[in-house]
Amino acid sequence: MKIAIVGAGAAGMFCAANLKGGFETQILEAGSRALRKVEQSGGGRCNITNAQKDVGEFIKAYPRGGGRLRKPLMNFGNEKLLKWFEGRGVEFAEEDCGRIFPKSGASLEIVSCLESEAKKRGAIIRKNFEVKSVSKTAGEKYMLSSESGDIATADAVLFAVGGAWNKNLQASLERLGHKFIKTLPSLFGFKTKDETLQSLAGTAVFAKSLKCREFGFETGGELLFTHEGISGPAALKMSSLGARVFFEKGYKIELELSLFSSPEVFDNFCKSARMQNAKKLVKNFSPAQIPQKFWEFLLEKSGVESGCDWAHFAKDAQKNLRKNLCEFKIETAGKAARTREFVSAGGLDLSCVDFKTMQSKTSKNIFFAGECLDIDAFTGGYNLQAAWTTAFTAAEAINKLA
């Protein structure tokens, strides 16, 4: 039986690595090498998954597609994934926020393992084969044509093309009854309107909350000021939550940053500072969680004179500073520039797929896995886990075709 896997990324290669022997498997890769994105992920270390054990909590990291992944994750989640790799000699270490990396610190260990396992199962990679169309042939087989005129035929096809669908390929799948959601960037930083924020480039603060009140989105965590605007986990999560509506707004929105859990917490800090550090300059005695550079920036913005001590810190000044610490407004001026979007929202409409098998609901023996689906998540290993899980689910179903 002939199997064609379109895309030699995480999902495509993991599916190939889990197929039974005896298939004639071709992996059709548009680029010049397999697993390029896996190699680059996590800064070259590969954040392979997240340690969160509760599936209900795990799927909350997916603004799109999490509900559909619940049962597939229960069948093949992060624990089974790690055991799969550990059984092939890869060791792992957990870092902050539950992120899991190879203990070696090298993504090439994951790349090598997948290439080796796919090869053991007889899979052949045909590189520089960008599939532009799929069509049915006599006998319920499929023919795949490349941009350069090459042809491949198969009894079953797995599409794992990543976040960027070839327009011609997409059109051919639409003719077979499939629907697509417009692909848009996700996980990006923002340019900011206030150029004075650029003086904070390199400064990171911990956001108790980062809100977009217009759409009801809220995140938290580290926020990094850059030469363009803002980035870091809090901004990236916000971009993911609002990927579609922010696109419609031209990425021009208002965000609200709070560094305290409540205004009362800041007021209590000020009361304590007046009593115990009255002679100290306000600029030299700040809340522990606020970087000095950002503290001085906010003092100036709030009209607090540099020579003011805590004994003479006026109530009006406290009110202004409280507002900036608890409701600091950030107006964005667009999406921060990137040479390439690493994660995208959109792709194949999830209503087209049976998530028990990852098989198309309209075309027998056509399967989908990975980022080509309208599934995307926050940073932390969740996007790769979606690729591993959907690929394994598809491999199980394909194995039953033999």
Side-chain angles (χ1 to χ4, degrees):
M1 188 174 193
K2 292 183 177 181
I3 310 297
I5 296 175
V6 184
M13 292 296 287
F14 197 61
C15 179
N18 283 283
L19 292 179
K20 292 178 180 178
F23 289 122
E24 292 181 41
T25 304
Q26 293 185 76
I27 305 172
L28 311 177
E29 167 55 36
S32 59
R33 70 180 194 273
L35 297 162
R36 175 186 54 80
K37 197 168 174 180
V38 171
E39 184 180 336
Q40 296 173 350
S41 69
R45 299 193 300 134
C46 188
N47 179 190
I48 192 169
T49 188
N50 193 278
Q52 173 59 251
K53 292 182 179 180
D54 186 286
V55 172
E57 290 299 313
F58 202 97
I59 62 175
K60 289 180 181 179
Y62 297 84
R64 287 155 290 275
R68 303 272 187 160
L69 284 175
R70 180 185 288 274
K71 288 185 178 179
L73 281 167
M74 291 174 70
N75 177 56
F76 188 82
N78 49 7
E79 292 183 344
K80 288 185 178 179
L81 172 76
L82 296 177
K83 286 180 181 178
W84 190 94
F85 278 101
E86 287 167 349
R88 291 156 178 81
V90 182
E91 296 182 344
F92 296 96
E94 181 178 340
E95 298 188 8
D96 62 296
C97 302
R99 297 178 303 155
I100 304 290
F101 293 86
K103 192 174 286 187
S104 65
S107 59
L108 286 174
E109 188 174 11
I110 301 299
V111 171
S112 177
C113 178
L114 291 175
E115 289 181 332
S116 175
E117 290 300 314
K119 187 176 181 180
K120 284 178 185 177
R121 284 152 183 77
I124 297 171
I125 302 175
R126 294 178 66 178
K127 299 173 183 177
N128 300 308
F129 192 120
E130 183 175 5
V131 177
K132 72 172 183 179
S133 70
V134 57
S135 58
K136 280 187 177 180
T137 65
E140 294 298 310
K141 294 182 183 294
Y142 292 98
M143 181 172 71
L144 301 149
S145 304
S146 78
E147 291 287 0
S148 60
D150 293 325
I151 299 292
T153 59
D155 298 289
V157 183
L158 170 75
F159 289 98
V161 298
W165 279 94
N166 177 290
K167 291 181 179 179
N168 292 325
L169 175 58
Q170 179 176 322
S172 70
L173 282 165
E174 287 173 339
R175 288 192 290 272
L176 292 175
H178 300 91
K179 297 181 292 183
F180 289 82
I181 306 297
K182 183 180 177 64
T183 301
L184 299 169
S186 183
L187 295 182
F188 51 82
F190 295 90
K191 293 179 180 178
T192 51
K193 193 172 181 179
D194 185 354
E195 293 183 356
T196 65
L197 291 176
Q198 294 175 8
S199 66
L200 296 169
T203 302
V205 299
F206 187 86
K208 287 291 185 180
S209 70
L210 181 67
K211 299 177 182 178
C212 178
R213 291 189 179 276
E214 181 179 0
F215 297 106
F217 299 140
E218 181 175 352
T219 69
E222 185 179 88
L223 183 75
L224 175 68
F225 290 94
T226 70
H227 68 284
E228 283 189 300
I230 56 172
S231 187
L236 296 179
K237 286 182 181 179
M238 181 61 71
S239 75
S240 182
L241 287 172
R244 288 173 181 156
V245 291
F246 293 167
F247 171 80
E248 297 296 332
K249 295 277 291 186
Y251 303 107
K252 295 177 182 179
I253 55 173
E254 182 181 82
L255 301 175
E256 183 181 290
L257 169 66
S258 178
L259 301 182
F260 284 87
S261 55
S262 70
E264 290 74 23
V265 175
F266 173 66
D267 288 339
N268 289 336
F269 169 80
C270 293
K271 182 178 179 181
S272 176
R274 285 191 180 97
M275 293 174 60
Q276 300 178 23
N277 297 278
K279 293 182 180 180
K280 285 188 176 180
L281 296 178
V282 175
K283 71 175 183 180
N284 291 338
F285 186 72
S286 62
Q289 76 270 30
I290 301 177
Q292 184 65 24
K293 193 171 184 178
F294 191 56
W295 177 248
E296 292 181 9
F297 175 86
L298 290 184
L299 289 177
E300 182 179 348
K301 205 170 188 66
S302 303
V304 180
E305 295 183 1
S306 62
C308 178
D309 59 27
W310 279 102
H312 297 90
F313 184 55
K315 292 291 185 179
D316 284 345
Q318 179 176 331
K319 182 179 179 181
N320 291 338
L321 185 56
R322 181 201 304 126
K323 188 168 184 65
N324 277 321
L325 284 166
C326 299
E327 301 176 24
F328 184 68
K329 299 295 192 286
I330 301 173
E331 289 189 53
T332 67
K335 182 171 67 68
R338 288 191 64 170
T339 55
R340 180 181 61 252
E341 300 302 340
F342 212 62
V343 173
S344 58
L348 184 77
D349 191 315
L350 303 185
S351 66
C352 297
V353 181
D354 179 354
F355 273 74
K356 294 178 182 178
T357 60
M358 302 312 299
Q359 184 170 207
S360 164
K361 290 181 178 179
T362 63
S363 300
K364 184 180 178 182
N365 292 348
I366 283 184
F367 301 82
F368 301 91
E371 200 185 346
C372 69
L373 296 157
D374 184 24
I375 297 174
D376 64 287
F378 303 146
T379 58
Y382 298 101
N383 284 293
L384 271 178
Q385 183 62 56
W388 310 129
T389 295
T390 53
F392 186 85
T393 303
E396 281 192 320
I398 293 170
N399 284 332
K400 293 176 182 178
L401 299 177

